[in-house]
Amino acid sequence: MSIGTLLTPLRVGAIQLPNRIVMAPLTRMRAGANNVPTALNAEYYAQRSSAGLIISEGTAVSAQAQGYPSSPGIYTAEQIVGWRGVTSAVHARGGRIVMQIQHNGRNSHSSLLPNGSLPVAPSPIPPNLPGFTKDFQQVPIEVPRALETEEIPVIVGTFRQAGLNAIEAGFDGVEVQGANSHLIEEFLEDGTNHRTDAYGGSKENRVRILLDIVDEIMAAIGPDRVGVRLSPFGQYGGIRDSNPLELFTFVIQELDTRRISYLHLVEAKGSEMGLTDELHEDGVNNAALFREVFNGPLLSAAAYTPQTAALAIEQNHADAIAFGRLFIANPDLVRRIKESQPLNAYDRSTFYGGGEHGYTDYKTLEEPSLTASI
Ligand SMILES: Cc1cc2nc3c(=O)[nH]c(=O)nc-3n(C[C@H](O)[C@H](O)[C@H](O)COP(=O)(O)O)c2cc1C
């Protein structure tokens, strides 16, 4: 295994990555008023611009799609302007950034939604997680409202518009959030989807919303700028399917046919949301399992070290590896990997909410001193 494997270039759709060290999408709950990104957010992303690719935090495609306090959106003119500050700062530092666009579905709370309305989902089945109010209070979760059939094409349209808005805001592409038990995965899996209309029942029906979204966005912004994140065998929020292997093989075959620019799989061996440091070594290796099914670039995430990441690429399980918690704590992760320098430890207590502390104040390596070599 050679760490140098991570430092080789890779083409991902329209984007040329100088290395295979990707920054995973990370919700940090530090957006400004009206869910608008700020200069602080721009600084945070710019600090990490040496990543082969930055995937933004999950960003709501509509007011109804919000799920966490102080999380950004991409559905107002003000938000587009705020995000332009982020993308310009990343590009000015030579980086590349795509936006993860998402609808939180049942993982939300009425205090975050227009007119205090209930979170929505395919079926009225609550997750097994507490909700976060807009004031960061943890509260018992609400039973979501099942979407009416005619509301679903409207949601598809909000994803399409979010894709267009992301490009207008200067992003290099988008990643559709189909993972981690948010709305799309709630449709995919039969534990959360008990519908009897064209969006429930057979796997073909359950995958319809995802494929409609992908088709619409690809038509709107071009086929080579759309990636998809999935978390087969994941259990976050109590999500489950009676036959995940059959379901995800089908989903991934369909995405392969469409030639999306990349597939991003969350590994079941780690904690999908990085909530614990536990490892389930006996968990399914999604990248290895689905590699045969998908012919485009494959990104894999969750619980990787630089060493296991390089190994996964050398074993041809994946083309690039996304790091979450290591990028929170190491803005210059690429340089540290390249120079085999020690990594900063992350502080879990500052993951969500707050300001600069635990966000933009993790230390980078000192530049080599000019006097040191004299
Ligand atoms: C603070 C935090 C926020 C996260 N937010 C998102 C998110 O917005 N979208 C998403 O798909 N995954 C999210 N995740 C999951 C990460 O992208 C990643 O899959 C997970 O942390 C496992 O990778 P790691 O072991 O390298 O941290 C989040 C994880 C953490 C720790």
Side-chain angles (χ1 to χ4, degrees), residues 23-28 56-59 68 100 102 175 177 179-180 182 229 264 266-267 270-276 301-304 322-328 346 348 351-352:
M23 178 172 164
L26 294 161
T27 291
R28 305 301 308 276
S56 83
E57 64 210 272
T59 301
Y68 305 110
Q100 188 185 62
Q102 83 174 16
E175 173 176 287
Q177 166 65 301
N180 297 345
H182 297 299
R229 191 175 217 213
H264 185 180
V266 183
E267 288 303 332
S271 157
E272 299 102 304
M273 291 296 285
L275 295 179
T276 70
Y304 282 99
F323 296 91
R325 290 164 290 174
L326 293 187
F327 257 116
I328 289 179
Y346 49 81
R348 194 175 282 287
F351 277 2
Y352 299 115

Side-chain angles (χ1 to χ4, degrees), residues 191-271:
T192 36
N193 183 344
H194 293 180
R195 301 180 72 89
T196 53
D197 62 3
Y199 298 94
S202 66
K203 61 182 186 312
E204 289 80 2
N205 279 356
R206 283 179 278 129
V207 78
R208 189 181 310 280
I209 186 170
L210 170 62
L211 299 180
D212 285 355
I213 287 170
V214 168
D215 289 343
E216 290 259 336
I217 301 180
M218 285 174 93
I221 70 169
D224 51 0
R225 295 190 184 273
V226 184
V228 175
R229 191 175 217 213
L230 298 172
S231 48
F233 299 95
Q235 296 171 12
Y236 180 68
I239 195 112
R240 61 181 174 77
D241 189 78
S242 58
N243 194 342
L245 179 60
E246 185 189 49
L247 170 67
F248 283 99
T249 303
F250 176 70
V251 174
I252 293 169
Q253 275 166 346
E254 288 291 321
L255 293 174
D256 186 56
T257 311
R258 285 167 170 76
R259 301 203 177 284
I260 57 170
S261 61
Y262 69 86
L263 175 66
H264 185 180
L265 295 177
V266 183
E267 288 303 332
K269 74 175 182 327
S271 157

